[in-house]
């Protein structure tokens, strides 16, 4: 999809790039030095402030609607559709959580260190049995009052559809008797129209998405919180039932229906949080 959005000036783009680099360095310092000595609630305050400043550097406006659970709801599994690596920053600007990511990211320079220090859980996508291990870790974190996030599509889409959900990691919510909070993410351009400019699919690279983000004059990200679901109650007695209910909530938040064709395009090398 060819972007048609108004572009920021070259000076604005350069200023954003410099400020972004400085803010990432500041975040790296916080994660390496301060995080180990802070309680979860204190970490959440710092993380949300960092995410909000990063979005402001990019000129991104966040609009939040729906059943907002607060900035750090305890024993809550956040589940969202996945469009771009920017999703993680956008979600953290509203509700702070820890994520599940593919294990390869743990070895990446800077990003891997920041992810590990930030409490990310890493899953081995090549080993289907690894989901059981991650479920145990997720359940432990949730039971201890944590807020965790997964992207149950398992990869990114272009944002105009919703891929089938993988139900495996919903088992953690049953084990911990957690609330499951669906979140629908949409990106709007300067004209208020949904855009796939930042979608991390096909041959889109991290650098290309960053270049587009820096050059956009205006971008709005919508976070719509659907109705929260209590795992284990009523009809939500299995991970498949919870997965289906969460998917319906996100479809509604995206103004889609169950008969909307699924988005089939996937990224080849995306540093996104994943599930199996």
């Amino acid at each position: 999809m060819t972007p048609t959005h108004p572009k920021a000036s070259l000076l604005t783009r350069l200023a954003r790039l410099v400020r972004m680099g400085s803010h990432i360095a500041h975040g790296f310092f916080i994660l390496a030095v301060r995080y180990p000595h802070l309680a979860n609630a204190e970490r959440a305050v710092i993380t949300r402030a960092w995410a909000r400043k990063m979005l402001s550097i990019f000129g991104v406006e966040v609009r939040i609607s729906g059943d907002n659970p607060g900035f750090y709801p305890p024993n809550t599994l956040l589940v969202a559709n996945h469009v771009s690596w920017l999703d993680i920053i956008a979600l953290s600007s509203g509700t702070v959580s820890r994520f599940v990511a593919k294990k390869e990211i743990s070895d990446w320079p800077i990003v891997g260190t920041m992810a590990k220090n930030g409490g990310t859980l890493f899953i081995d996508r090549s080993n289907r049995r690894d989901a059981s291990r991650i479920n145990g870790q997720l359940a432990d974190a949730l039971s201890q009052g944590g807020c965790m996030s997964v992207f149950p599509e398992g990869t990114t889409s272009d944002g105009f559809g919703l891929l089938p959900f993988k139900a495996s990691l919903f088992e953690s919510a049953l084990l911990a008797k957690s609330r499951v909070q669906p979140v629908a993410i949409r990106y709007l351009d300067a004209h208020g129209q949904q855009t796939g400019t930042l979608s991390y699919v096909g041959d889109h690279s991290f650098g290309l998405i960053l270049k587009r983000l820096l050059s956009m004059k205006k971008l709005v990200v919508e976070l719509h919180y659907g109705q929260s679901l209590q795992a284990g109650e009523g009809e939500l007695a299995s991970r498949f039932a919870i997965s289906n209910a969460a998917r319906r909530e996100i479809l509604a938040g995206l103004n889609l229906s169950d008969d909307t064709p699924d988005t089939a395009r996937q990224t080849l090398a995306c540093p996104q949080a994943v599930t199996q």
Side-chain angles (χ1 to χ4, degrees):
M1 181 179 296
T2 302
T4 58
H5 52 81
K7 292 192 175 182
S9 68
L10 178 59
L11 183 61
T12 297
R13 282 179 258 175
L14 291 174
R16 285 176 176 174
L17 186 61
V18 171
R19 292 178 65 202
M20 180 196 74
S22 174
H23 195 51
I24 289 175
H26 182 234
F28 187 87
F29 171 80
I30 290 173
L31 287 170
V33 177
R34 294 188 59 191
Y35 248 48
H37 309 291
L38 298 176
N40 286 338
E42 294 173 308
R43 292 179 179 185
V45 171
I46 291 175
T47 298
R48 184 169 69 165
W50 186 92
R52 288 182 171 182
K53 183 173 180 180
M54 181 61 83
L55 292 175
S56 72
I57 289 172
F58 289 136
V60 178
E61 176 188 350
V62 180
R63 296 176 184 170
I64 296 176
S65 61
D67 188 16
N68 190 341
F71 90 101
Y72 189 67
N75 197 9
T76 299
L77 182 66
L78 218 67
V79 296
N81 61 305
H82 202 11
V83 181
S84 173
W85 50 261
L86 190 63
D87 298 346
I88 295 173
I89 301 176
L91 285 171
S92 297
S93 75
T95 300
V96 178
S97 63
R98 292 162 55 196
F99 291 85
V100 177
K102 62 182 183 179
K103 75 168 190 175
E104 290 85 353
I105 294 176
S106 65
D107 296 324
W108 289 11
I110 302 179
V111 173
T113 301
M114 292 182 74
K116 284 184 284 190
N117 290 347
T120 298
L121 301 180
F122 297 100
I123 187 169
D124 184 357
R125 290 191 297 176
S126 65
N127 182 1
R128 297 188 63 84
R129 295 181 180 179
D130 203 39
S132 177
R133 177 184 65 86
I134 292 297
N135 267 319
Q137 293 185 4
L138 276 172
D140 286 345
L142 292 165
S143 298
Q144 293 170 18
C147 181
M148 307 298 295
S149 286
V150 297
F151 295 107
E153 290 170 287
T155 187
T156 48
S157 75
D158 63 8
F160 290 90
L162 191 64
L163 293 165
F165 279 9
K166 303 182 190 309
S168 59
L169 296 188
F170 284 93
E171 186 68 28
S172 64
L174 286 172
L175 294 172
K177 299 180 174 57
S178 304
R179 301 294 296 183
V180 176
Q181 179 62 63
V183 187
I185 303 174
R186 290 203 316 159
Y187 292 94
L188 307 180
D189 62 19
H191 306 293
Q193 300 298 312
Q194 185 174 358
T195 177
T197 299
L198 300 184
S199 59
Y200 207 171
V201 294
D203 58 356
H204 291 182
S205 66
F206 182 93
L208 174 63
I209 301 305
L210 177 59
K211 180 180 178 181
R212 289 180 175 181
L213 180 59
L214 291 170
S215 68
M216 293 184 77
K217 193 168 186 178
K218 181 178 180 180
L219 179 70
V220 174
V221 55
E222 293 184 334
L223 302 179
H224 179 80
Y225 293 90
Q227 181 179 351
S228 64
L229 310 167
Q230 179 59 55
E233 283 191 359
E235 297 179 352
L236 303 178
S238 73
R239 66 178 185 268
F240 300 104
I242 302 170
S243 174
N244 290 335
R247 189 173 188 273
R248 287 193 296 270
E249 287 294 321
I250 293 176
L251 280 168
L254 295 173
N255 298 317
L256 300 174
S257 62
D258 282 318
D259 57 0
T260 301
D262 292 323
T263 304
R265 287 176 288 170
Q266 299 183 356
T267 181
L268 295 178
C270 176
Q272 78 275 25
V274 298
T275 61
Q276 285 189 336

